[in-house]
């Protein structure tokens, strides 16, 4: 599937990913997240957010370096602001300690970049940091995730 995915239309990719994202048990959720981590670079940008959500929910920690690259805006293909927000959210769900610097940088970047609509980046980074630091406000966020 990883080799064929890039040649599929986005709607077919979306269908395949949404079916794989409905696991029967935690082992299949982990397996699907691992497959998604291998396919992120080849997937259509409209399908990537769902894949990143599944990676975060399944706690697929092998994908942390790739998610860090996406969150920092350094990935070659995946630089869209929404995809970056999803990567930050997934890292927050995993409580990946590597996110600290990236989230803080995203907060600073968003403060200076308000005119270009980076509010979402700042909010996602602040939420992820709150979850990592287990602040009182993060209990509500953890319940939402």
């Amino acid at each position: 599937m990883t080799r064929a995915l890039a040649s599929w239309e986005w709607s077919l990719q979306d269908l395949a990913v949404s079916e794989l994202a409905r696991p029967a048990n935690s082992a299949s959720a982990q397996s699907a997240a691992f497959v998604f981590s291998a396919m992120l670079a080849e997937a259509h940008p409209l399908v990537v957010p769902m894949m990143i959500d599944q990676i975060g929910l399944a706690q697929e920690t092998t994908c942390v370096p790739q998610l860090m690259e996406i969150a920092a805006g350094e990935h070659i293909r995946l630089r869209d602001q929404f995809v970056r927000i999803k990567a930050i959210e997934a890292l927050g769900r995993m409580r990946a300690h590597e996110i600290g610097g990236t989230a803080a940088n995203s907060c600073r970047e968003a403060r200076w970049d308000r005119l270009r609509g980076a509010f979402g980046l700042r909010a996602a980074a602040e939420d992820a940091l709150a979850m990592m630091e287990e602040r009182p406000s993060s209990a509500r966020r953890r319940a939402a995730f």
Side-chain angles (χ1 to χ4, degrees), residues 116-129:
R116 292 194 304 176
F119 290 115
L121 274 177
R122 187 183 75 223
E126 288 172 351
D127 287 351
L129 286 172

Side-chain angles (χ1 to χ4, degrees), residues 70-127:
I70 294 168
E74 297 168 355
H75 194 277
I76 294 168
R77 284 190 60 237
L78 304 174
R79 292 186 179 165
D80 180 71
Q81 183 175 342
F82 184 65
V83 173
R84 290 178 66 193
I85 289 169
K86 287 298 182 179
I88 291 170
E89 288 175 352
L91 289 163
R93 282 187 195 112
M94 289 190 265
R95 292 180 180 59
H97 293 287
E98 298 90 347
I99 193 177
T102 300
N105 288 339
S106 292
C107 287
R108 281 193 292 278
E109 174 186 319
R111 284 190 185 111
W112 294 110
D113 207 16
R114 289 177 206 258
L115 296 176
R116 292 194 304 176
F119 290 115
L121 274 177
R122 187 183 75 223
E126 288 172 351
D127 287 351

Side-chain angles (χ1 to χ4, degrees), residues 3-14:
R3 285 178 277 191
L5 184 77
S7 65
W8 296 350
E9 286 184 25
W10 82 267
S11 58
L12 188 56
Q13 288 184 26
D14 184 56

